[in-house]
Amino acid sequence: MSLLEVRGLTTGFMTGSGEITAIEDVSFSLNAGEILGIVGESGSGKSVTALSIMGLLPSPPARLISGEVIFEGQTLTNMSDRQMQTIRGPGISMIFQEPMTSLNPVFSIGEQIMETIRAHERLSPAKLRERAIEMLDKVGIPSAARRMDDYPHQMSGGQRQRVMIAMALACRPRLLIADEPTTALDVTIQAQILDLLMDLRDEFGMAIIIITHNMGVIAETADRVLVMYAGRVIEEAPVATVFDRPLHPYTRGLLECVPSLTEDRARLVAIPGTLPEPTRRPPGCRFSVRCSHAIPACSAALPPLELLEPDHSAACIRALDLAPIRTADLAP
Amino acid sequence: MTEPLVEVAALSKHFPLGGKNFFGRRHGAVLRAVDEVSLRIMPGETLGLVGESGCGKSTLGRLLLRLIEPTDGNLIFNGAEITRLKGAALREVRRSMQIVFQDPYGALNPRMAVEDIIAEPLIIHGARQGPGTRKQVASMLDRVGLPARALDRFPHEFSGGQRQRIGIARALILSPRFVVCDEAVSALDVSVQAQIVNLLQDLQREMGLTYLFIAHDLSVVRHISDRVAVMYLGKVVEVAQKHAIYAAPLHPYTQALIAAVPASHPADRSRGKRVRIAGDIPSAFNPPSGCRFHTRCPYVMPVCREVVPPLVEPVPGHHVACHLIDASPAGAPT
């Protein structure tokens, strides 16, 4: 049984011009200890997916239209808020992009970590402090015991993100959702935090969903990848497959439009246009208006996410026409 | 030999911190945002400027445009000393130097129509509002890839990439020679980022522009630049042709920076394979003595804590400030 099962998740938001769907029919499963990367540009629905799993979207305006989230055999999507509280923390924890606004400026970091543990476990004050120090130490804060009484403003951006991770890990979650955990950080600090997340996965065996717009972060961390565009999953495969044999033209575009650190390119291969607003999505395939391979059939109907090759799905009616022939297929 | 378009010599910007004492004198420390930086930018060239947050790269960009006043040092533009120019003379120089900002949402006045935003520099420099100006603005819009119907619209009606095109049109309407792009593509989604990078390169070719391209994304900087300068805590630690600096970085900080860039393929994962530098960037408020990188450097020696390494040229065209490097060609750390 998989740790997390997401089936047909569709979340809507009420706006001035009616209800719009931020994500549609998002399905995937995740095993214990696995790292799933969700990649997409802003507005693709990757954060809404995470918040929908956590049940953290304010309702109204948000509303779960259909679908279910099953975590360790329990259906989260029909749980009460009170029941969800027992899942958040020891079951699923989440870290956010902006470590400055996610920490309370008027409490010491030690107090904030201990508060998290206290909400879920009964420990003596001494044990509580011990556990908080242990967590800070685990995430690589030097002289952790001394830094317990520091306030968020006394720490750098990288250290604050480490504190956020310590808080998220304090209840030993089985699943950690990291939403753009390194986007606000410098590249040397990003490398440290990504290393840390993977070390913690190895040590505790927890599963991680890492949400990012950066294909490099995916390449560094993910086991499996989900590519999202305009609220829908458009490709899913193991990480090496996505990089070696992307089937959706959008995924190919995402990989081609970033410059290389080692090779010269005269000109970048840009994807024309921008991601459509949720109210102005084109008919049929949402990428069709930006796709250089679009044919009339593309705008006729929404292409379903289909298993096109072993362990590799994509939502593109031309995917197999356009993909290079696999060398395996050429063998007699 | 061609003269550099922009040349700075021992340029510094120190921000005083803390209040004034009873006699009105400043007390307390100073923040050395830019400390004795010397650089040259040749006409038509793109110099990439990289470094992590707080290294002083944006402050340096603003100093070059005289948007902030240097504490010390000299600034030469197009052969003329402009360090202490004032009033009309400064305004005249500023026609030739412009800036494109990072945040396409914050850099445009939400109450102004696109036409007025782009025409404003022309008006400031003496043009009159009228059909002539409107035509000029429309032709600039076309050059940056926006339709003429955008003229009467307002910034909120555009996407991030389109707003950045408006910001570029505003910067280029006066036909400047030198443009500082301060994280101009950093806030954009990757698919749009590629469009803007291509646009900046096309415009450079068409208009003969010289760029200072400030960014923290090393891949984008490599793509767009001819030469690259690396800053750390207010100091330039290495400058070289892009191929030299990316293929064989000499300064341990540059090496660490390049090693920290995420892999472009899962087969090249860096975890456990590449040297990581530990710790955070120290505060520029109280920077380390000697070489400012010595607190994080894997090759630190006693001399690094004492003496500030000078910028030397061990290989022609490749400048580096590190005690491991002899001024004579040889002995790069590996």
Side-chain angles (χ1 to χ4, degrees):
Chain A
M1 189 189 67
S2 44
L3 179 75
L4 178 77
E5 192 83 46
V6 175
R7 290 187 197 141
L9 199 62
T10 303
T11 303
F13 281 86
M14 199 46 94
T15 68
S17 44
E19 189 170 58
I20 54 152
T21 49
I23 56 169
E24 287 175 16
D25 202 16
V26 172
S27 302
F28 62 88
S29 66
L30 181 67
N31 293 322
E34 194 176 28
I35 301 185
L36 174 76
I38 302 184
V39 67
E41 298 180 279
S42 31
S44 61
K46 51 196 195 305
S47 291
V48 173
T49 303
L51 293 169
S52 300
I53 294 169
M54 292 291 281
L56 282 176
L57 286 168
S59 174
R63 182 173 74 94
L64 177 78
I65 296 172
S66 58
E68 51 185 3
V69 177
I70 300 155
F71 178 72
E72 294 181 325
Q74 293 176 281
T75 308
L76 304 188
T77 28
N78 49 29
M79 273 188 183
S80 66
D81 246 10
R82 183 175 229 132
Q83 286 172 300
M84 263 316 276
Q85 279 304 355
T86 64
I87 300 290
R88 291 187 208 119
I92 313 175
S93 257
M94 186 160 175
I95 53 176
F96 300 90
Q97 171 174 350
E98 202 18 274
M100 193 60 197
T101 50
S102 308
L103 289 169
N104 191 330
V106 300
F107 290 100
S108 70
I109 56 153
E111 186 48 51
Q112 294 187 59
I113 298 171
M114 290 191 290
E115 185 195 3
T116 311
I117 306 168
R118 217 182 284 127
H120 300 280
E121 278 176 68
R122 274 172 190 228
L123 290 176
S124 69
K127 275 262 183 296
L128 203 58
R129 197 176 164 86
E130 204 174 289
R131 171 80 77 85
I133 293 170
E134 181 198 328
M135 290 332 292
L136 280 179
D137 195 48
K138 273 267 175 327
V139 299
I141 299 273
S143 40
R146 215 155 37 85
R147 309 268 347 225
M148 281 283 283
D149 302 318
D150 279 3
Y151 288 85
H153 75 268
Q154 292 168 293
M155 317 197 95
S156 69
Q159 285 178 325
R160 276 185 224 128
Q161 194 57 292
R162 286 176 193 270
V163 171
M164 285 304 300
I165 296 172
M167 277 170 77
L169 296 179
C171 298
R172 315 246 158 93
R174 269 94 68 198
L175 170 62
L176 177 72
I177 302 181
D179 188 0
E180 301 271 11
T182 58
T183 306
L185 304 176
D186 281 311
V187 60
T188 57
I189 312 298
Q190 165 169 290
Q192 296 171 6
I193 297 290
L194 294 181
D195 284 356
L196 170 66
L197 285 175
M198 297 186 71
D199 291 345
L200 293 169
R201 187 269 301 257
D202 293 350
E203 189 177 341
F204 297 114
M206 65 179 176
I208 301 178
I209 296 178
I210 190 156
I211 294 173
T212 178
H213 65 279
N214 185 332
M215 275 301 206
V217 171
I218 295 286
E220 284 285 344
T221 57
D223 299 318
R224 292 186 69 76
V225 184
L226 216 60
V227 185
M228 292 190 74
Y229 186 81
R232 300 185 72 92
V233 177
I234 55 110
E235 186 152 5
E236 188 196 348
V239 66
T241 311
V242 166
F243 282 82
D244 290 335
R245 190 175 163 76
L247 285 179
H248 199 288
Y250 176 65
T251 312
R252 252 196 318 270
L254 270 187
L255 290 168
E256 282 169 3
C257 68
V258 286
S260 156
L261 201 60
T262 47
E263 279 165 53
D264 287 351
R265 289 180 186 173
R267 216 177 148 73
L268 296 181
V269 188
I271 306 174
T274 47
L275 201 89
E277 304 264 334
T279 47
R280 290 187 209 154
R281 286 176 184 151
C285 170
R286 284 171 186 169
F287 185 61
S288 59
V289 285
R290 302 176 71 189
C291 182
S292 51
H293 305 289
I295 53 172
C298 293
S299 40
L302 204 54
L305 184 71
E306 281 181 310
L307 191 68
L308 297 176
E309 288 178 354
D311 204 13
H312 191 175
S313 314
C316 172
I317 54 170
R318 302 201 63 199
L320 290 180
D321 309 346
L322 299 170
I325 297 167
R326 288 186 300 172
T327 37
D329 297 338
L330 292 175
Chain B
M1 212 181 99
T2 15
E3 290 293 305
L5 181 67
V6 180
E7 187 169 6
V8 297
L11 201 67
S12 298
K13 178 65 188 179
H14 299 169
F15 293 104
L17 297 169
K20 291 175 181 169
N21 69 10
F22 181 74
F23 301 101
R25 289 217 189 103
R26 292 212 170 266
H27 60 82
V30 290
L31 187 146
R32 295 162 184 272
V34 171
D35 207 14
E36 296 185 28
V37 165
S38 300
L39 276 178
R40 305 168 131 211
I41 309 175
M42 305 307 281
E45 172 182 63
T46 299
L47 178 70
L49 183 59
V50 298
E52 297 181 283
S53 16
C55 72
K57 55 192 193 298
S58 283
T59 304
L60 180 60
R62 281 162 172 72
L63 282 173
L64 296 193
L65 300 183
R66 289 281 315 271
L67 291 176
I68 50 176
E69 295 302 316
T71 311
D72 206 356
N74 290 310
L75 179 53
I76 294 161
F77 182 75
N78 200 18
E81 167 84 42
I82 62 160
T83 327
R84 268 161 276 281
L85 279 190
K86 283 194 170 67
L90 177 61
R91 202 172 320 134
E92 197 43 45
V93 173
R94 285 223 176 113
R95 279 189 82 106
S96 319
M97 33 178 31
Q98 292 291 327
I99 183 165
V100 179
F101 295 100
Q102 166 171 8
D103 179 8
Y105 296 84
L108 306 177
N109 187 334
R111 291 161 180 271
M112 281 168 79
V114 168
E115 180 182 358
D116 299 323
I117 290 173
I118 299 174
E120 198 177 24
L122 285 172
I123 309 287
I124 289 170
H125 286 275
R128 253 177 288 164
Q129 239 144 4
T133 303
R134 189 176 169 93
K135 217 174 136 196
Q136 212 180 329
V137 172
S139 115
M140 193 68 235
L141 266 186
D142 184 51
R143 278 186 114 155
V144 299
L146 288 174
R149 64 188 141 81
L151 280 174
D152 301 314
R153 303 238 178 120
F154 289 85
H156 75 267
E157 297 176 67
F158 296 91
S159 68
Q162 289 171 321
R163 280 182 226 214
Q164 201 54 295
R165 289 175 194 268
I166 297 169
I168 292 170
R170 175 178 61 184
L172 299 186
I173 191 81
L174 289 167
S175 304
R177 297 191 60 192
F178 176 53
V179 180
V180 173
C181 303
D182 189 1
E183 302 274 12
V185 300
S186 311
L188 304 174
D189 275 317
V190 285
S191 70
V192 178
Q193 176 175 300
Q195 297 169 13
I196 301 296
V197 167
N198 286 342
L199 174 67
L200 286 170
Q201 289 188 304
D202 293 343
L203 292 166
Q204 177 171 43
R205 219 169 12 247
E206 290 164 25
M207 302 177 70
L209 300 169
T210 304
Y211 287 143
L212 176 71
F213 193 86
I214 303 172
H216 63 271
D217 184 323
L218 286 135
S219 316
V220 172
V221 167
R222 181 185 186 278
H223 175 78
I224 203 167
S225 308
D226 299 303
R227 286 188 307 136
V228 175
V230 182
M231 277 186 86
Y232 188 77
L233 279 177
K235 289 268 191 204
V236 166
V237 297
E238 187 162 2
V239 195
Q241 294 292 334
K242 72 167 169 197
H243 290 115
I245 210 164
Y246 281 85
L250 294 178
H251 198 285
Y253 177 61
T254 316
Q255 293 170 356
L257 209 53
I258 292 172
V261 175
S264 56
H265 191 283
D268 306 324
R269 271 186 193 179
S270 63
R271 179 176 171 232
K273 279 188 251 167
R274 294 190 217 157
V275 179
R276 291 275 194 251
I277 45 170
D280 292 303
I281 306 172
S283 158
F285 171 56
N286 190 10
S289 60
C291 172
R292 290 177 179 191
F293 187 58
H294 84 248
T295 52
R296 300 171 82 195
C297 183
Y299 313 106
V300 62
M301 308 178 291
V303 63
C304 304
R305 300 191 178 92
E306 312 281 329
V307 185
V308 180
L311 199 66
V312 295
E313 194 175 353
V315 184
H318 198 143
H319 301 260
V320 62
C322 175
H323 288 301
L324 287 164
I325 313 282
D326 267 325
S328 55
T334 45

